[in-house]
Amino acid sequence: MEDTEDFVVDDDVFKEPMKKRKRSDRDQRFRAFPSVEQSALKEYEKLESRTRRVLSNTYQKLIQSVFLDDSIPNGVKYLINRLLALIEKPSLDPIYIGLFGSTGAGKSSLINAIIQQAMFLPVSGESICTSCIVQVSSGCCEQYEAKIHLLSDQEWKEELKNLTKLLHRTEEPDREEADVWDRDDAVEEAIWKLQMFYGNGAERKSYEELLRARPKGKIPTSRIITLKAEEAGELSVKLDPYIRTQRRDLDGESAQTQIWPLIKHVEVTLPKSELIPEGVVLVDIPGTGDFNSKRDEMWKKTIDKCSVIWVISDIERVSGGRAHEDLLNESIKACQRGFCRDVALVVTKTDKLHLPEYLRERKVRNGAILSQREAVLERNEMIKLQRNRILKEKLKRKLPGDSKVLEASNLVYTVSAQEYWQQALLTEEETEIPRLRGYIRKRLLDKKRRMVTKYVTEAFGLLLLTDSFNCMENPPNEYLHMSGLRRFVEEKIQLLEKAIDQCFAHIEQPLQEGVRNARTSYRRILGACLVRSRGNQGFHQTLKAVCLKNGVYASRTLARIDLNEAITQPIYDQIDPVFGGIFRAGMPTGSTLLPHIEAFKHSLQEKMMEIGVRNGWKYESYKKSFLIQEISAILGGLEDYILRKKRRIYESLTTSVQNDLKPCYEEAAQIAGKKACERMKDVLRRGVERQVAEGMFERAQERMRHQFQLLKNGITEKVKGSIATMLTLASSQGDGLYKELADVKSEYKEMEKLHRSLKEVAENAVLRRGMQDFLLRMSPSKAVPHKA
């Protein structure tokens, strides 16, 4: 197993816990929230801070009590390590919100409006602006800061090798290839990168010659460039050359643009934002990926780690087109393979409308349109209704019917960054920028509430155990009770294994049907991928790039090409709803994994309560409470483990096909000379035919089954190991596990109060929200702009 156990006994138990955050810094985190939400957050932050203080005091006492001992009992090591892990646990894992859109869709303009900085990220209505993944977040720093991450030396060498292979051709290519050479997008981009990095003529040099060549720009040894500024505009000017797509006719490029081909991604941190709360990361994600393997892998991983994806499409392109559909499909796949739980369509530039044309084509006849503003609002409402219905239907085809994303009443936002600044037609509220900010705040507040509740509850369980080390509650038949509980746990684990098998069995039939469909449709799909409307014109080197990258080609200007994904799509069409059903949360069903684990947890907790009542454990027994709390902590960590593993399971089909087809990709990539394009296509067709005949799809099916089995093994191993350790610690018969420790009763009582106050804090938050909603309903609506 590549993952270690959740709780490992570490001999280095004298590690100093990290410093706690200053109060002034903590208060700055709430600036983005209205007063009502600030109050709720401050209460949760106070709970968390006091809990960390109790844990830290307990940790220090335990360290002092065992510091001079020659050997530390395993039980004490376990406890100290668990305390330290909780103390150093991050206050909140970032919420990544991915803005995923095509060239010119308005992603950067939208981020600028959300963060209230009009021209912070480069924008242009005519061409690609943002050239790489850009992450924007706020922190407690005093300055604006950007970190530009560059490809490592090895990563650049890999790209350089592929770029020079792509540019290689025989001395006498046929006339067709010579005529279209300069019109090939893949070749133009390769030439452009090499010239920018090494200078004119670099495209004619070999890989070995370029390795010896000196780059035009200076490359820092750390491969990170850090920029700082006091004002947003100052940082924007410094940052612009690194993230703006460089024009190919640019004369006298700067030192910054000379290393532009090396840039992997950029992280921007804003100081103390009043609009974007700390803990939220807005990610500007280019729509197609990248030719470089590492950048392309990062593109996929970035999409997968986003818990929210906003598909960005401007008003003129939202009604169709391959690019828009590709973005939606990629976003839905992120729900299947990644952490994404929420997908929405954000339609940009919604102030654009030609009034005479709209009035001529207008189908709604229930009232006269008297102004441009009325037409824009009516059109935007129609777009919401239409696209919301279409998006929900698409999601229903791919995801389980009870998926959380389908519960949202509206999955579409109609925004205008330009009107947000000008307000010539629309009010600030009508631009829907504030609505997006409100969504962001709600996500963070909900996550903070869940995190603190879990944190305080887990800490309370640990303090119960700590206090128990000096407790004299040891009934004579205690060993028999724990032995009976161990047998019960073993039986329940066996039942859990059967439930997991039954859960995974639901994928079997659609998987088989998908394989049958793939076998009957692969020729048609491959043929469609290899055909262009203008024949081979401009496609020769693009196809070569596809082969060099094992069937995948990502360009900044063309639609993404992935032959492996296309060939396996018939399988995914069959398994998607069932696959999503396996990994969703909800009521226990035969095909749902997480509720089975939740049911397993409850059965153990109920058994512990039963044993406690039957055998005389006191109502507030430390042992009973510790066991119940620790079971929640152990099994609660399984959800993240499962979510990390599901990406590997989901992608096992395309990965398997890609591995099987790698020899024919490599063979096709070596072809040059006359009729090279047709010869490459022929190699690919014959290679696919041969692999299909030898069972390529069946092997992919078996590899997915194997990944499911690995997940099952990982779950049961983690459950067995962690629960066995916990039961051993709870048993008073374990030799050498316990010793008399420092008195922590005061810390235990403090933690008990904090645990009880969770309910009060939650009730206060609900009450404040109700009061806020009432005041909003009673307040007058904002006036419309004066330029109607």
Side-chain angles (χ1 to χ4, degrees):
M1 295 294 298
E2 67 180 58
D3 291 273
T4 58
E5 292 295 314
D6 291 322
F7 309 124
V8 180
V9 174
D10 185 0
D11 288 331
D12 186 17
V13 297
F14 302 113
K15 181 181 175 183
E16 283 292 324
M18 63 183 180
K19 304 274 186 182
K20 63 181 181 181
R21 185 192 294 267
K22 293 181 180 178
R23 183 181 300 275
S24 59
D25 289 344
R26 291 200 304 270
D27 291 343
Q28 295 292 349
R29 303 177 69 191
F30 309 134
R31 290 173 51 147
F33 291 87
S35 58
V36 171
E37 294 173 352
Q38 280 193 29
S39 298
L41 272 170
K42 285 180 180 178
E43 285 191 335
Y44 282 118
E45 189 84 357
K46 185 178 178 181
L47 263 179
E48 180 191 348
S49 176
R50 290 172 62 186
T51 299
R52 289 185 186 276
R53 186 178 68 242
V54 171
L55 292 174
S56 184
N57 290 343
T58 306
Y59 177 85
Q60 295 296 339
K61 281 188 175 182
L62 295 190
I63 289 295
Q64 290 171 11
S65 68
V66 300
F67 186 75
L68 297 177
D69 289 5
D70 293 332
S71 63
I72 303 173
N74 287 334
V76 179
K77 286 182 182 179
Y78 172 91
L79 179 60
I80 290 175
N81 287 330
R82 290 280 278 112
L83 283 168
L84 184 61
L86 262 187
I87 292 167
E88 298 197 333
K89 188 175 183 178
S91 180
L92 190 70
D93 291 328
I95 297 175
Y96 289 91
I97 299 178
L99 284 77
F100 192 38
S102 301
T103 301
K107 301 185 298 296
S108 298
S109 296
L110 181 57
I111 291 178
N112 289 342
I114 291 173
I115 67 175
Q116 194 77 13
Q117 299 290 345
M119 298 297 291
F120 188 71
L121 297 180
V123 296
S124 169
E126 300 176 357
S127 61
I128 309 173
C129 276
T130 311
S131 61
C132 60
I133 293 171
V134 180
Q135 298 183 4
V136 180
S137 61
S138 68
C140 287
C141 53
E142 295 296 327
Q143 292 181 304
Y144 291 83
E145 182 176 299
K147 289 186 177 181
I148 296 103
H149 297 260
L150 308 180
L151 293 173
S152 68
D153 186 56
Q154 190 58 41
E155 289 166 352
W156 172 245
K157 286 180 180 178
E158 179 194 340
E159 178 164 7
L160 184 61
K161 183 177 292 184
N162 285 320
L163 291 174
T164 52
K165 284 181 180 178
L166 187 60
L167 294 176
H168 172 74
R169 52 179 174 157
T170 58
E171 293 297 324
E172 297 180 355
D174 69 346
R175 181 168 295 278
E176 178 192 25
E177 290 171 8
D179 289 344
V180 302
W181 180 270
D182 290 336
R183 290 193 291 271
D184 193 293
D185 178 85
V187 169
E188 285 187 1
E189 188 159 333
I191 292 173
W192 177 39
K193 284 183 177 180
L194 294 180
Q195 288 180 344
M196 183 171 288
F197 196 63
Y198 293 109
N200 291 332
E203 72 276 13
R204 294 189 292 273
K205 295 181 179 179
S206 68
Y207 170 67
E208 290 74 17
E209 289 174 321
L210 290 174
L211 283 180
R212 296 190 294 270
R214 187 182 184 86
K216 292 165 65 178
K218 185 178 180 181
I219 304 169
T221 54
S222 65
R223 315 299 276 202
I224 296 176
I225 299 170
T226 301
L227 307 174
K228 293 185 179 182
E230 295 293 332
E231 301 294 334
E234 183 186 352
L235 183 68
S236 179
V237 171
K238 293 180 179 180
L239 185 60
D240 190 280
Y242 293 101
I243 62 176
R244 181 185 291 274
T245 297
Q246 303 303 318
R247 290 171 50 193
R248 303 188 186 192
D249 58 352
L250 190 67
D251 294 325
E253 65 276 332
S254 65
Q256 293 94 330
T257 62
Q258 291 167 357
I259 64 167
W260 180 84
L262 280 187
I263 295 174
K264 187 191 297 186
H265 72 283
V266 175
E267 296 176 330
V268 179
T269 305
L270 313 175
K272 308 182 185 70
S273 172
E274 295 186 3
L275 298 169
I276 299 300
E278 184 182 353
V280 172
V281 183
L282 299 175
V283 192
D284 186 338
I285 307 175
T288 58
D290 197 276
F291 181 68
N292 176 269
S293 298
K294 291 297 179 183
R295 276 194 292 251
D296 197 58
E297 176 65 15
M298 183 172 199
W299 176 79
K300 269 199 170 184
K301 286 185 175 179
T302 300
I303 294 172
D304 288 348
K305 76 179 179 182
C306 291
S307 57
V308 178
I309 291 180
W310 292 341
V311 179
I312 313 297
S313 184
D314 74 53
I315 191 72
E316 295 176 347
R317 288 188 279 185
V318 72
S319 296
R322 178 183 169 185
H324 177 69
E325 289 301 310
D326 287 347
L327 291 170
L328 282 177
N329 290 334
E330 192 65 42
S331 301
I332 294 170
K333 285 177 184 174
C335 291
Q336 298 282 29
R337 69 178 183 236
F339 287 85
C340 182
R341 297 290 179 86
D342 200 355
V343 175
L345 174 63
V346 179
V347 185
T348 58
K349 307 178 186 178
T350 56
D351 57 293
K352 287 185 177 181
L353 183 140
H354 186 244
L355 186 57
E357 181 179 333
Y358 178 75
L359 292 176
R360 186 179 69 247
E361 298 180 355
R362 181 172 176 253
K363 297 178 182 179
V364 179
R365 301 298 180 187
N366 58 351
I369 291 293
L370 302 177
S371 66
Q372 180 90 1
R373 177 178 179 276
E374 290 181 0
V376 167
L377 290 174
E378 181 184 82
R379 189 274 317 274
N380 289 354
E381 194 61 33
M382 290 172 57
I383 287 287
K384 278 186 187 178
L385 293 172
Q386 293 169 359
R387 302 314 300 183
N388 189 66
R389 175 179 53 80
I390 293 170
L391 180 55
K392 278 201 172 183
E393 289 174 354
K394 193 174 187 70
L395 290 169
K396 284 177 182 177
R397 289 196 298 269
K398 293 289 186 178
L399 301 176
D402 60 351
S403 295
K404 194 168 183 62
V405 66
L406 295 174
E407 296 175 6
S409 58
N410 199 332
L411 299 173
V412 180
Y413 299 84
T414 51
V415 305
S416 171
Q418 181 170 311
E419 275 299 298
Y420 175 77
W421 301 110
Q422 298 178 357
Q423 295 186 32
L425 288 173
L426 306 176
T427 66
E428 181 177 305
E429 291 295 327
E430 287 166 347
T431 68
E432 300 206 352
I433 300 298
R435 187 178 164 213
L436 291 176
R437 290 183 186 141
Y439 173 90
I440 291 170
R441 292 196 304 269
K442 184 178 184 303
R443 291 283 302 199
L444 188 87
L445 186 57
D446 289 347
K447 186 169 184 179
K448 183 68 175 180
R449 173 182 52 79
R450 292 193 302 270
M451 176 266 164
V452 172
T453 301
K454 182 179 178 182
Y455 188 79
V456 173
T457 302
E458 190 171 347
F460 181 49
L462 277 182
L463 264 294
L464 283 167
L465 176 61
T466 308
D467 188 51
S468 75
F469 273 79
N470 296 323
C471 179
M472 300 303 294
E473 183 196 340
N474 289 313
N477 57 347
E478 178 77 12
Y479 182 70
L480 294 176
H481 302 336
M482 300 308 295
S483 298
L485 185 56
R486 284 193 180 91
R487 288 194 298 272
F488 177 82
V489 169
E490 290 171 0
E491 292 170 2
K492 284 295 179 180
I493 289 177
Q494 291 176 1
L495 291 176
L496 177 62
E497 288 178 321
K498 290 180 181 177
I500 295 173
D501 285 335
Q502 292 170 1
C503 178
F504 292 166
H506 284 77
I507 201 82
E508 195 58 38
Q509 183 177 347
L511 189 57
Q512 291 176 3
E513 290 177 1
V515 168
R516 285 195 293 269
N517 291 348
R519 289 185 66 88
T520 59
S521 59
Y522 72 90
R523 292 188 184 91
R524 173 182 55 79
I525 294 171
L526 182 63
C529 292
L530 298 180
V531 171
R532 288 295 178 269
S533 58
R534 297 184 299 168
N536 293 338
Q537 185 177 5
F539 188 54
H540 167 218
Q541 294 297 340
T542 298
L543 184 58
K544 185 170 186 177
V546 171
C547 296
L548 283 170
K549 306 304 292 183
N550 292 322
V552 182
Y553 175 61
S555 161
R556 299 182 192 279
T557 55
L558 296 178
R560 184 179 179 88
I561 301 172
D562 191 332
L563 298 184
N564 313 298
E565 196 172 271
I567 291 170
T568 54
Q569 190 57 48
I571 308 180
Y572 285 111
D573 289 341
Q574 290 294 320
I575 70 169
D576 272 352
V578 179
F579 189 92
I582 289 173
F583 293 100
R584 76 179 185 271
M587 294 298 292
T589 65
S591 64
T592 312
L593 178 58
L594 292 176
H596 282 301
I597 294 173
E598 189 71 13
F600 171 73
K601 179 185 77 174
H602 288 309
S603 69
L604 294 188
Q605 291 174 333
E606 288 173 2
K607 186 65 174 179
M608 291 168 193
M609 293 288 288
E610 176 190 323
I611 291 175
V613 171
R614 191 171 65 237
N615 295 288
W617 288 355
K618 291 184 292 187
Y619 179 74
E620 291 296 335
S621 162
Y622 79 86
K623 195 158 296 185
K624 177 185 67 180
S625 299
F626 161 70
L627 289 171
I628 290 173
Q629 300 291 357
E630 199 70 351
I631 283 287
S632 292
I634 290 170
L635 297 182
L638 279 178
E639 183 173 356
D640 286 341
Y641 170 78
I642 291 168
L643 290 175
R644 289 197 306 271
K645 292 297 182 184
K646 77 170 183 175
R647 181 189 182 199
R648 182 173 295 177
I649 298 173
Y650 190 76
E651 293 185 338
S652 60
L653 297 174
T654 51
T655 302
S656 176
V657 167
Q658 185 179 48
N659 289 337
D660 285 354
L661 294 179
K662 189 174 181 180
C664 75
Y665 288 138
E666 292 174 345
E667 181 183 351
Q670 299 300 318
I671 294 174
K674 293 184 177 181
K675 303 293 181 183
C677 192
E678 282 303 323
R679 288 159 55 206
M680 280 193 287
K681 290 180 181 180
D682 187 56
V683 166
L684 291 175
R685 290 190 189 101
R686 285 188 286 106
V688 172
E689 288 281 356
R690 182 172 60 253
Q691 289 298 327
V692 171
E694 294 175 358
M696 178 175 73
F697 293 123
E698 288 75 13
R699 285 192 296 274
Q701 177 183 9
E702 192 55 42
R703 283 163 183 162
M704 177 170 270
R705 287 173 180 154
H706 179 63
Q707 289 298 325
F708 272 116
Q709 184 63 40
L710 289 178
L711 175 59
K712 173 195 163 184
N713 295 343
I715 291 171
T716 54
E717 286 176 17
K718 284 180 174 293
V719 169
K720 288 177 181 177
S722 297
I723 292 183
T725 301
M726 181 201 67
L727 293 178
T728 301
L729 290 170
S731 171
S732 59
Q733 301 298 316
D735 291 336
L737 286 177
Y738 297 154
K739 64 162 286 174
E740 186 173 349
L741 298 174
D743 186 2
V744 293
K745 285 195 179 299
S746 60
E747 285 78 11
Y748 167 71
K749 289 180 179 178
E750 174 70 10
M751 198 65 245
E752 193 175 30
K753 291 178 184 177
L754 293 172
H755 189 249
R756 282 200 304 265
S757 66
L758 274 175
K759 183 179 179 181
E760 181 183 345
V761 171
E763 289 173 348
N764 289 343
V766 172
L767 180 61
R768 291 193 191 97
R769 171 60 64 184
M771 293 171 61
Q772 182 188 48
D773 292 343
F774 173 77
L775 292 173
L776 285 174
R777 287 196 302 270
M778 298 299 292
S779 64
S781 58
K782 293 186 179 180
V784 300
H786 63 276
K787 298 178 183 178

